Structure formats: C-alpha cells, structure tokens
Amino acid sequence: EPEVTQTPSHQVTQMGQEVILRCVPISNHLYFYWYRQILGQKVEFLVSFYNNEISEKSEIFDDQFSVERPDGSNFTLKIRSTKLEDSAMYFCASSVQGRYTEAFFGQGTRLTVV
Amino acid sequence: AQSVSQHNHHVILSEAASLELGCNYSYGGTVNLFWYVQYPGQHLQLLLKYFSGDPLVKGIKGFEAEFIKSKFSFNLRKPSVQWSDTAEYFCAVYSSASKIIFGSGTRLSIRP
C-alpha cells in the first residue's frame, strides 16, 4: 500500500541551526501538507502546498519556515534558524485533492532543538 | 471557517465497555469530517471519514461515527473496546479547501 515516508525519523539540532525535514508524498497525490505536534498537545496545521506553491499557511508558518518541492518526488520543510520551541513531531501528509479527500500521514520526524 | 472541538480529554474504560467520543464542529458550509487515531509513538491513521450520503459511517477496527447535522456533531462510537484501542483519537475537519484542522484529541485508556 502506498505511504508517505519521512526522513529522518529523529533529528537533534542546536538552536540557531537550519534543519531540513524531508518527505516523499504518495505519488499520485497533488496536495501536500506539514503539521506539527508539540509533545502532549494537539496537531497543528503549518502549511499546504499545491501546484508548486503554498496554498494556505498558518500563523505559525512565519519567515523562519519554508517549503519546497525540489524534484518530482520530495517535499521539504526548512526551518532557517531553529528555536527551542520548534521542538516537536513534524508530520508530512498528502492527499489526492484538497477538500473531499483524506490526507495520509507519514510517520513523522521528531525534531529536538537543544 | 470551520472549527472542531473535542470535549473529552481523557477517557478511561474497561475492556468490552462501549465507547462514545464527542466531536462538534462549527457550521461553515460543506462539511468533510474525519476521525484519526494515533497509537502510542505512531503516526496518524484514518479511522473513518464523512463527505456526504449516509450519516452513519463505518470505519476500520469496528469504529463508526454518526454525522448529526442538527447538532453539529460527529461522535465516534465502538460497541466493545479492546485493550489495543488505547490511543489518542482526533476529530478533524476541512476548514477550507486545503486545510484540515484537528481537535485537541481524546486520550483513550483501556484497562485490561
């Protein structure tokens, strides 16, 4: 069964460093998403991406964040200068379309900023 | 824009008990509703979804949910829970064309 894959599964980084989280969405899906879940808290929407541009973004997704689809398969989330409060589980998801189709989630990347 | 709320933060049940987890959404036009489950240390998995049609939706692992438009609710049910149902359950809704938002989640603990 097709699945969304994310790498790495766990990343530890120093505060102020740049990190890139990688995702390979399901191949025929057109919408891609990033969510984050701070430990013990709710799943928060960061950004959606469609047709090679950001479709929607939340207030969390500030100038420190960016997304990119560098080739036909990968979808990346970059955090330019990490802060302690960026420590969270980051989930990538994809859907065939937007509304009316479910999103499939990857296993997540646990980001720890020290 | 749509929003979704879950009022049960932590539910503790014994095995074989019946389960009902509450989910309410705000009205905002076309409703696409989901229940996702997150087992300990794992990613979000879709339990069931409602887009249109029969308001009683059956999902995986014996779960079902009923869309009640007049109550703005989409409660999750299971007639007899098992220890393996221990997980966090999230209700979710499309708040716009390309944004799914999640409720705060309900942690379900099952006593063996």
Side-chain angles (χ1 to χ4, degrees), chain A residues 35-105:
Chain A
Y35 286 80
R36 79 171 185 191
Q37 185 180 31
I38 295 170
L39 188 63
Q41 297 187 27
K42 67 189 290 186
V43 179
E44 300 174 293
F45 171 82
L46 291 178
V47 66
S48 58
F49 191 86
Y50 169 70
N51 201 25
N52 282 319
E53 60 183 26
I54 289 174
S55 182
E56 297 186 63
K57 61 181 181 179
S58 71
E59 59 276 7
I60 302 169
F61 194 88
D62 60 21
D63 292 344
Q64 291 298 313
F65 292 88
S66 62
V67 288
E68 194 177 33
R69 189 154 162 84
D71 53 44
S73 58
N74 290 286
F75 179 52
T76 62
L77 174 69
K78 182 193 289 186
I79 309 175
R80 258 179 272 284
S81 177
T82 49
K83 308 182 188 72
L84 294 176
E85 54 265 36
D86 293 327
S87 294
M89 183 72 92
Y90 288 81
F91 291 106
C92 176
S94 67
S95 63
V96 175
Q97 300 173 40
R99 202 190 286 271
Y100 302 116
T101 60
E102 67 264 34
F104 292 82
F105 285 79

Side-chain angles (χ1 to χ4, degrees), chain A residues 31 33 35 37 41-43 45 48 55-56 58 91 95 97-108, chain B residues 2 30-32 34 36 38 41-44 46 49 51 90 94-104:
Chain A
Y31 283 79
Y33 312 84
Y35 286 80
Q37 185 180 31
Q41 297 187 27
K42 67 189 290 186
V43 179
F45 171 82
S48 58
S55 182
E56 297 186 63
S58 71
F91 291 106
S95 63
Q97 300 173 40
R99 202 190 286 271
Y100 302 116
T101 60
E102 67 264 34
F104 292 82
F105 285 79
Q107 298 275 1
Chain B
Q2 301 268 10
T30 304
V31 177
N32 299 162
F34 307 90
Y36 281 86
Q38 187 178 32
Q42 295 193 28
H43 66 301
L44 292 158
L46 183 71
K49 63 190 178 191
F51 293 154
F90 294 92
Y94 267 104
S95 69
S96 59
S98 61
K99 179 179 177 181
I100 298 173
I101 58 170
F102 287 80
S104 54

